[in-house]
Amino acid sequence: MTAIIPNLPSLYDPFSTEAKWQKFWEENQVYKADPNKGGEPYCIVIPPPNVTGSLHMGHAFESALIDTLVRYHRMQGRNTLWLPGTDHASIAVHTMLERQLKTEGKTRYELGREKFLERAWQWKAESEGTILNQLRRLGVSVDWSRERFTLDEGLSKAVVEAFTRLYEEGLIYRGEYLVNWCPASQSAVSDVEVENQEVNGNLWYFRYPLTDGSGFVEVATTRPETMLGDTAVAVNPNDDRYKHLIGKTLTLPILHREIPIIGDEFVDPTFGTGCVKVTPAHDPNDFDMGKRHNLPLINIMNKDGTLNANAGEFQGQDRFVARKNVVSRLETDGFLVKIEDYKHTVPYSDRGKVPIEPLLSTQWFVKIRPLADNTLEFLDQQNSPGFVPQRWTKVYRDWLVKLNDWCISRQLWWGHQIPAWYAVSETDGQITDNTPFVVAKSETEAWEKAKSQFGQNVNLEQDPDVLDTWFSSGLWPFSTLGWPEQTQDLATYYPTTTLVTGFDIIFFWVARMTMMAGRLTGQMPFQTVYIHGLVLDEKGQKMSKTKGNGIDPLLLIDKYGTDALRYTLIREVAGAGQDMRLEYDRKKDESASVEASRNFTNKLWNAARFVMMNLDGQTPQQLGNPVARELSDRWILSRYHQVVKQTTNYIDNYGLGEAAKGLYEFIWGDFCDQYIELVKSRLQQDAEPASRRVAQQTLGYVLEGILKLLHPFMPHITEEIWQTLTQQPADSPQTLPLQIYPQVDANLIDAALEEQFELLIGTIRTIRNLRAEADIKPGVKVTANLQTESQKEREILTAGQDYIKDLAKVETLTITDKQKSETVAAKKPQRGLKTIGLIIVAIVFGRLGLAVGNDIDHTPILGTFFEIVGFGYTAWFVSQNLLTAQARQKLWRGFFSQRELEQPQESENAMPDGKPENVYAGVIGTIQVLIPLSGVVDIEAVRAKLEKSLSKAEAEVQSLSARLNNPSFVDRARTDVVQGARDALVEAQKQAEILRDRLQALS
C-alpha cells in the first residue's frame, strides 16, 4: 500500500496563512496564562499604546522584539504571560473631541462634562479596535483574556489607592509651581508631551536704566513681552564688567517698577551682554533663581495665552500680539538697542501644536525626592533593575538624581478625576487656591471626612482636574495584575521579568514605574529593562510626524507579509539597543530588505516541500533520530546543534539581531544550498537503503528543529510547515508555539569536522563561481585541478571529492601538491630534452628492429600477420590523435609533459603540470583551483563578451569621472546625488578591474 505523502502548495501565500493562524491561536487561547501551572514565570506587560492610535513602525518594531522573547521563553517551558492593553491618552482624546466640537460650533463647557465623557467613551469604543486589531495582524502572542485599559474599573481602583496612600504619607501635595502650560488645550502638560523645535527667531536688546540715574544695563531676550513680569536683572558675580553693580536697582521700563541687580553663577557671561532679565513666573531657570534670591513672582499670563492685568496697558492682548506692541513701545521710549536674527529652540506642545508657556499655577504635585532616593537604593545596592545595554544604567541614574517634583494634575475631563473634594462652602461656593479639601477613596468617604471637619452643612465639589496619564501608566506593571488586591496573578507574575521599551521614555515612564513600584510594592516592577533603538528611515533619519518620513508597517505587511516585516525589523538590529535602518523606496512603496525576508520565507517553503516529498509520507517522529555516519550527515547535525547553542545564547543575552542573522545563514546556506543538494542522490529509490534512510531521518530531524528555532521570529510560516511536516490531526492539532525549544546535544558538535567541511564547501563555491565567470553551461562537466601545499588539506579534499564532483559538476578532479607541481613545471625544458634524447635512441633501436623485421618479413605467415597489425595500429593512431586540431594539440602536450602521481588520490587524467593557457583560476584559502576552458567553452566568444562588458564599464567610469570633475555639478547638485555618483564610480571601477582580470586569464 502506497503511503499518502502530505505536502505543501507549490507557492507560499503569507496572507491566508497568517490570518488563519492568528485566528486559530486566539480562538483556542493558545497564549492564555495559568498562574497555577507552575514553572518559572516569565512576564512582560505591553507598553500600552494610545487607545486612539494606529500602528506605526515603532509599534511594529517593539512588538516584534517582545513577541520574539515571549515565544522563545514559552518554548523554553516557562510559565509565560504577555499582558496586552491600551492607555486612555488624556490629551490626545481631549484634543480630538474639542476639534470635533469646534466644527459643530460648540465648546466642551457648553456640552457639559457628563455629555463630553459620553462622547469620549463612545470614541474609545469605536477606535480602540483599530490599534488592537493592527497588533493582532503582527501575530503577537498576548493573552487577550487579560486585556486591560487604564480607565477600566480595576486600574481606576489602583489609581485611587495609590493617590490616597501617597497623599496620606505626605508625598502628594497641592501647591503653586511653574508648569508647562499649553494655551491651546489650556492644560498643564508633562515634559514628555513637549517637543523642542528649532526656529528662526530674534534676539532683542533693551536698556534698563539705573534708578540712581548713573547709567543703564543692557539685556537680551527672545521673549520681550515677559519683561512686564521681570523682578530682577542678574549678572555673574565673577564678571568684572558688572560685579560693582550688584545690589543696585533698576527702573523697569514701561511699568516703572524698581527691581534689583543680583549676582548668580547660573548666568552665562557669554550670552548676549552678560546681563539677563529675571522673570520667575515665566521661565523655569528664572523660577529657580527667584527661589534662591527670594524674588517676587508676577504672573502676567492668562491660561488662554492672553496677558492679564499685571501687564498694564497690554492686558487682553494675545502673547504674540503683545510681543510686537511691547517692542514698539520700548523703541518709542528709547530703550530698544538692536534686534538680531537668532536661531534657538522653542518648546512646543505635542498635542496643541503651539509654543509652551511656562506658567505659575496651583497644581497637584508628587514630592519626588523620597521616591527617587528609594529607587536609587534599589539600583545602587541591588543593581535593580538591570539595563540592557548596560550604558543606559547611568542615564537612568542621572535622571533620578536630578528629578524635580512631578506635576500630576491636568485641566482636562478625560482621565482619572483627582480624588479630592473641596469644601466650597468655606470659600463662597468657588474653588480657589485657598479652598480646604479632603482626599478620599470615594465620594461617600469624602462626605464623612468633610462633615467631621466642616460640619453637617458643608458643601463639597470634586476637583475638576484629572491626573496625568503617566500617573496611571506608572502603576501599569502591578495594577494590571490586580494590585492593590493580592491576586494569584500578582503573586505569580510580579515582579515582571522584562520591560521592553525605547530609550526616549526612560525618564518619563520607566523611572515613574520604578519609583511608584518601589514605594507601593516594595519591589522593582521588572528584573530587566531592555532598551531598544529606533527604526530609522532609508536615509538613516529618525521617523517623525514633523518630517513626514514615517513608513506605514501595514503597507509593507500587505505587500510582503507579517513574518517578512517582523524578521526584517529584528534581523537589521546589530547589537542590543542599536537603531536599525529600513530600506524603503517611497516612489514604489517597496522595501528591498523586507523583500529579501519574503524571499527567505519562499526559500524555506520550497526546501520544506522538497524534504516532505522525499520522506515517503513519514513524520520525523516516525523516521526516528538519525545515527549519522556519512560525512555530510555528521556535518549538518554538528552545524545544527552549533546553531541551537548560538541562537539560545544570543536570545538569552538580547542579541536578537545576531540570532536572526545566524539562523538565516544556517537555513539558507548550510541546509538549503548545501546539505539538501548533497543528499539528493541518496534519496533516489534505487539508492542504498540504509544510506537513504539516514538521509531522510537527518532531513526530517533538522527541518523540524529549524522550524522550532525560527518560530519566535517567523511564527506563521513555521506553524504552517510544522503542522504539515508532523501531520497534525485537523480536529485537535498540537501547535508549534507550545512545543519545546531545541536543546543542544554537545556530543554531536564537531568543530574540526565543520572546519573541514567549510573547506569543501568553499572549494565547491569557488569552482561554481569560476564556471559562472567563464559562462560554462550548467550541464557541462569540467576538469578541475586543486593545488595545495598542505597535506591535511589534500586529505580533506580527497575525503570529500565525491561531494566536489557532484555539486560542482566536475568530471575529472586532480588534487596535487602545489609546491611539487611548481617544481615539476620549472623542470619541463629539461624533460623535453630528455624526451628528444629518448626519441633518438628509439630511432637507433628502430633501425635494428627493421633489420630483424626484414628477416621476419620473409618468414611465412609471420610477415603477413605483422603487416595487418601495423596497418591497423596506424589507422587507429591517426584517427585518435591526428584528425582534429584539438587531438593534435593534446598529443603534442602529452608528448612534452609528464604526469606526477606523487599522491595516491591523484587521477590518471590529471591536468598537465603548470598552468596551461586558457585556464580560469581561483583561490580558496591556500588552495588554488584551476579549470581549463579548452573544449569546454567557446573561448573567443567568452573573450568578446568580456571585452564588450569592459568597454561599457570603462565608458561608465569615464562619464562619471567627468561629472565629478565638473565643479558645477559637485557644487549645485544635491548631496545625495553627488554621493550616489561617487558610489557608482567606485562600483564601475571595481567592475572594470574584475573584467580585466578575467580577460588576462584568457590571454
Side-chain angles (χ1 to χ4, degrees):
M1 183 175 178
T2 304
I4 298 175
I5 299 177
N7 204 1
L8 301 167
S10 58
L11 296 175
Y12 173 54
D13 176 12
F15 311 109
S16 61
T17 299
E18 290 167 357
K20 176 178 70 174
W21 290 114
Q22 287 161 12
K23 181 180 179 183
F24 174 87
W25 293 327
E26 187 169 347
E27 288 182 348
N28 289 275
Q29 295 189 318
V30 170
Y31 308 124
K32 184 174 176 60
D34 180 3
N36 299 309
K37 176 185 176 183
E40 183 183 2
Y42 185 87
C43 179
I44 290 182
V45 291
I46 195 171
N50 286 351
V51 68
T52 59
S54 59
L55 189 68
H56 57 66
M57 198 57 76
H59 287 134
F61 180 44
E62 187 170 80
S63 296
L65 292 172
I66 298 174
D67 198 44
T68 300
L69 290 172
V70 170
R71 288 180 182 274
Y72 166 77
H73 285 286
R74 184 183 291 113
M75 294 180 75
Q76 289 282 8
R78 299 182 69 173
N79 188 344
T80 304
L81 167 63
W82 182 8
L83 191 148
T86 50
D87 187 273
H88 60 276
S90 289
I91 292 182
V93 174
H94 213 91
T95 302
M96 179 276 304
L97 289 177
E98 288 203 314
R99 193 180 297 125
Q100 282 186 357
L101 290 172
K102 187 175 182 180
T103 62
E104 300 171 14
K106 301 176 183 177
T107 67
R108 62 166 160 146
Y109 300 103
E110 293 171 338
L111 190 65
R113 186 170 192 137
E114 184 177 346
K115 293 292 185 183
F116 182 86
L117 291 178
E118 285 179 6
R119 278 203 178 200
W121 280 104
Q122 182 181 354
W123 171 259
K124 181 259 182 187
E126 294 172 354
S127 64
E128 181 179 35
T130 301
I131 185 71
L132 294 179
N133 288 330
Q134 290 172 341
L135 287 172
R136 282 179 166 90
R137 288 204 63 189
L138 284 173
V140 294
S141 60
V142 300
D143 182 351
W144 290 109
S145 70
R146 283 175 166 82
E147 180 189 336
R148 305 308 297 267
F149 176 54
T150 47
L151 283 182
D152 68 26
E153 184 178 352
L155 270 65
S156 295
K157 181 179 180 181
V159 167
V160 171
E161 176 69 25
F163 186 95
T164 55
R165 190 181 296 186
L166 292 175
Y167 175 77
E168 289 166 359
E169 294 173 358
L171 296 175
I172 285 182
Y173 65 93
R174 187 170 183 257
E176 192 177 48
Y177 208 80
L178 201 67
V179 298
N180 296 314
W181 187 263
C182 172
S185 62
Q186 294 192 38
S187 173
V189 296
S190 69
D191 294 336
V192 76
E193 293 154 346
V194 175
E195 181 181 351
N196 290 315
Q197 296 182 18
E198 192 173 63
V199 300
N200 293 315
N202 296 107
L203 193 60
W204 287 270
Y205 290 78
F206 304 128
R207 291 192 182 102
Y208 285 14
L210 288 159
T211 306
D212 61 8
S214 60
F216 57 84
V217 297
E218 196 173 296
V219 300
T221 180
T222 59
R223 299 161 67 209
E225 70 281 5
T226 62
M227 61 85 61
L228 301 170
D230 285 356
T231 57
V233 166
V235 298
N236 193 297
N238 300 313
D239 192 334
D240 293 334
R241 295 173 296 173
Y242 303 116
K243 63 172 58 176
H244 67 285
L245 296 176
I246 296 174
K248 291 191 175 187
T249 62
L250 302 163
T251 300
L252 185 67
I254 302 177
L255 295 179
H256 309 295
R257 187 166 60 241
E258 191 172 345
I259 59 175
I261 298 175
I262 61 174
D264 196 292
E265 291 186 350
F266 176 79
V267 177
D268 179 3
T270 64
F271 174 76
T273 64
C275 296
V276 297
K277 53 190 287 303
V278 183
T279 316
H282 292 282
D283 183 273
N285 295 321
D286 292 2
F287 180 79
D288 292 338
M289 204 182 306
K291 287 196 295 183
R292 289 195 292 272
H293 296 273
N294 296 314
L295 298 175
L297 304 173
I298 301 176
N299 176 27
I300 63 166
M301 197 79 63
N302 294 315
K303 292 182 177 180
D304 62 356
T306 61
L307 273 56
N308 62 24
N310 290 330
E313 65 188 78
F314 305 100
Q315 180 180 359
Q317 295 181 8
D318 177 79
R319 53 183 171 158
F320 298 117
V321 174
R323 176 175 296 180
K324 295 179 182 179
N325 293 335
V326 167
V327 171
S328 178
R329 172 68 185 277
L330 289 170
E331 183 178 23
T332 300
D333 292 351
F335 295 112
L336 177 64
V337 178
K338 62 180 178 178
I339 304 174
E340 292 180 346
D341 291 335
Y342 185 65
K343 181 175 288 188
H344 63 120
T345 300
V346 174
Y348 273 72
S349 168
D350 184 50
R351 300 300 180 183
K353 307 303 180 187
V354 297
I356 286 294
E357 192 64 45
L359 187 68
L360 195 65
S361 178
T362 298
Q363 303 285 346
W364 289 91
F365 295 89
V366 171
K367 193 179 292 183
I368 214 71
R369 198 69 265 144
L371 299 181
D373 289 343
N374 181 46
T375 306
L376 283 167
E377 287 183 16
F378 278 99
L379 183 66
D380 295 339
Q381 296 177 15
Q382 303 176 31
N383 191 31
S384 180
F387 278 79
V388 179
Q390 192 175 4
R391 66 178 182 271
W392 290 108
T393 304
K394 184 179 185 304
V395 176
Y396 168 73
R397 191 185 192 285
D398 290 347
W399 187 256
L400 287 172
V401 167
K402 60 187 180 184
L403 277 174
N404 294 318
D405 285 359
W406 172 18
C407 175
I408 57 173
S409 49
R410 298 289 179 267
Q411 288 62 57
L412 306 170
W413 289 349
W414 174 245
H416 294 101
Q417 194 168 352
I418 292 174
W421 282 261
Y422 295 90
V424 292
S425 51
E426 303 297 306
T427 51
D428 297 327
Q430 300 293 322
I431 298 177
T432 70
D433 291 349
N434 300 314
T435 303
F437 59 86
V438 294
V439 171
K441 294 180 180 179
S442 67
E443 187 173 359
T444 301
E445 182 182 326
W447 277 104
E448 292 174 358
K449 286 185 175 182
K451 287 177 181 178
S452 66
Q453 292 183 42
F454 308 108
Q456 294 297 315
N457 295 323
V458 68
N459 188 13
L460 290 182
E461 187 176 325
Q462 188 174 359
D463 194 315
D465 292 350
V466 298
L467 287 167
D468 176 15
T469 301
W470 294 104
F471 189 91
S472 54
S473 295
L475 311 177
W476 185 254
F478 48 97
S479 64
T480 53
L481 296 172
W483 186 91
E485 303 297 329
Q486 294 304 307
T487 64
Q488 187 66 32
D489 275 1
L490 190 67
T492 302
Y493 299 112
Y494 186 82
T496 65
T497 314
T498 307
L499 173 72
V500 180
T501 190
F503 65 82
D504 49 342
I505 56 173
I506 290 178
F507 330 115
F508 311 115
W509 188 39
V510 179
R512 284 170 182 168
M513 284 189 286
T514 56
M515 287 189 294
M516 298 289 264
R519 186 74 188 193
L520 297 171
T521 73
Q523 296 175 287
M524 287 295 95
F526 20 73
Q527 298 168 18
T528 303
V529 181
Y530 171 38
I531 299 294
H532 61 72
L534 302 174
V535 184
L536 306 179
D537 70 5
E538 65 279 12
K539 296 180 181 179
Q541 298 179 344
K542 178 181 177 181
M543 295 185 194
S544 71
K545 294 179 182 177
T546 305
K547 293 180 180 178
N549 63 338
I551 301 172
D552 184 357
L554 293 176
L555 188 151
L556 295 177
I557 287 175
D558 289 339
K559 187 180 289 282
Y560 303 110
T562 296
D563 281 349
L565 176 63
R566 284 175 50 134
Y567 189 74
T568 301
L569 292 174
I570 296 173
R571 182 176 175 236
E572 295 300 315
V573 179
Q578 298 301 307
D579 295 340
M580 62 83 57
R581 178 174 173 176
L582 185 63
E583 293 182 65
Y584 191 63
D585 185 333
R586 292 185 182 274
K587 293 181 180 178
K588 299 180 180 179
D589 285 327
E590 295 176 349
S591 170
S593 54
V594 183
E595 184 176 5
S597 295
R598 195 271 314 277
N599 294 341
F600 179 46
T601 64
N602 291 337
K603 183 80 170 181
L604 175 63
W605 185 264
N606 290 331
R609 290 186 73 245
F610 173 82
V611 170
M612 281 185 264
M613 285 190 294
N614 286 280
L615 297 186
D616 296 336
Q618 298 181 84
T619 67
Q621 290 70 31
Q622 292 167 339
L623 287 165
N625 291 343
V627 178
R629 291 184 176 83
E630 294 199 26
L631 189 65
S632 59
D633 300 332
R634 288 166 43 221
W635 168 73
I636 196 64
L637 289 173
S638 179
R639 285 292 305 126
Y640 166 72
H641 283 283
Q642 197 77 266
V643 168
V644 172
K645 180 180 178 181
Q646 171 185 292
T647 305
T648 302
N649 182 62
Y650 274 137
I651 300 178
D652 285 342
N653 292 282
Y654 298 93
L656 304 187
E658 290 82 356
K661 291 184 186 75
L663 287 173
Y664 180 94
E665 292 165 1
F666 171 71
I667 295 168
W668 190 300
D670 294 341
F671 185 67
C672 296
D673 284 353
Q674 305 301 335
Y675 184 71
I676 287 180
E677 293 300 317
L678 287 168
V679 299
K680 278 184 176 179
S681 60
R682 294 166 57 196
L683 296 172
Q684 303 300 317
Q685 291 296 331
D686 57 353
E688 197 276 318
S691 176
R692 185 171 185 268
R693 179 76 175 180
V694 174
Q696 290 175 322
Q697 290 173 328
T698 306
L699 282 170
Y701 176 84
V702 176
L703 176 58
E704 184 174 14
I706 282 172
L707 297 174
K708 292 177 179 178
L709 287 172
L710 190 60
H711 177 74
F713 302 89
M714 287 184 160
H716 305 90
I717 186 173
T718 51
E719 176 78 281
E720 179 74 8
I721 296 173
W722 184 84
Q723 290 285 331
T724 306
L725 176 67
T726 59
Q727 300 178 37
Q728 293 298 314
D731 54 344
S732 58
Q734 295 185 47
T735 183
L736 181 55
L738 301 182
Q739 301 306 302
I740 296 299
Y741 206 70
Q743 303 297 306
V744 178
D745 186 342
N747 295 323
L748 294 177
I749 295 178
D750 187 338
L753 172 64
E754 290 184 37
E755 184 179 352
Q756 294 170 13
F757 219 86
E758 281 302 310
L759 182 68
L760 292 177
I761 291 172
T763 302
I764 293 167
R765 187 181 299 115
T766 302
I767 296 175
R768 284 175 166 178
N769 291 341
L770 291 175
R771 290 178 61 104
E773 290 174 11
D775 206 17
I776 299 173
K777 294 179 180 180
V780 175
K781 290 195 172 185
V782 299
T783 296
N785 177 240
L786 309 178
Q787 298 180 355
T788 173
E789 297 176 8
S790 168
Q791 172 70 21
K792 181 180 179 181
E793 287 183 344
R794 291 198 298 276
E795 291 173 355
I796 293 169
L797 294 171
T798 300
Q801 61 184 327
D802 288 342
Y803 298 134
I804 298 172
K805 289 181 177 181
D806 188 18
L807 295 188
K809 298 261 190 327
V810 174
E811 185 170 19
T812 303
L813 179 66
T814 308
I815 302 167
T816 61
D817 185 332
K818 182 179 180 183
Q819 188 174 23
K820 290 184 178 180
S821 296
E822 291 171 352
T823 303
V824 169
K827 293 179 179 179
K828 272 189 174 183
Q830 296 178 4
R831 289 177 180 169
L833 290 173
K834 288 180 180 179
T835 303
I836 293 173
L838 290 172
I839 292 172
I840 294 172
V841 172
I843 292 171
V844 172
F845 278 94
R847 295 285 299 182
L848 292 173
L850 285 173
V852 174
N854 194 36
D855 291 336
I856 293 175
D857 189 56
H858 291 84
T859 303
I861 302 175
L862 287 177
T864 305
F865 174 80
F866 275 103
E867 285 177 358
I868 294 171
V869 171
F871 180 83
Y873 178 82
T874 302
W876 174 84
F877 184 90
V878 170
S879 67
Q880 292 294 314
N881 298 288
L882 300 177
L883 288 181
T884 66
Q886 185 176 346
R888 290 193 297 273
Q889 186 180 26
K890 182 177 179 182
L891 174 66
W892 185 251
R893 285 205 311 265
F895 191 68
F896 284 96
S897 67
Q898 286 181 258
R899 291 186 178 90
E900 287 278 329
L901 296 177
E902 297 292 336
Q903 302 299 328
Q905 66 268 29
E906 293 173 9
S907 167
E908 292 182 359
N909 299 316
M911 288 172 54
D913 294 323
K915 183 179 174 182
E917 292 182 357
N918 302 329
V919 166
Y920 252 33
V923 175
I924 169 66
T926 60
I927 299 171
Q928 186 173 34
V929 181
L930 304 174
I931 298 179
L933 301 183
S934 297
V936 178
V937 296
D938 185 337
I939 295 172
E940 293 306 318
V942 173
R943 181 180 286 111
K945 183 178 179 180
L946 291 174
E947 287 174 344
K948 182 178 180 181
S949 298
L950 178 60
S951 297
K952 184 178 179 181
E954 288 175 337
E956 181 75 1
V957 169
Q958 186 175 2
S959 173
L960 289 167
S961 297
R963 290 180 71 190
L964 291 169
N965 289 328
N966 182 354
S968 178
F969 168 72
V970 175
D971 295 339
R972 296 181 183 178
R974 293 200 320 268
T975 304
D976 59 321
V977 174
V978 175
Q979 186 58 47
R982 291 193 178 109
D983 294 342
L985 175 60
V986 171
E987 183 62 30
Q989 290 171 332
K990 187 185 301 182
Q991 186 65 23
E993 182 180 351
I994 292 171
L995 291 166
R996 290 190 196 99
D997 289 342
R998 292 180 182 175
L999 277 167
Q1000 181 65 30
L1002 292 177
S1003 63

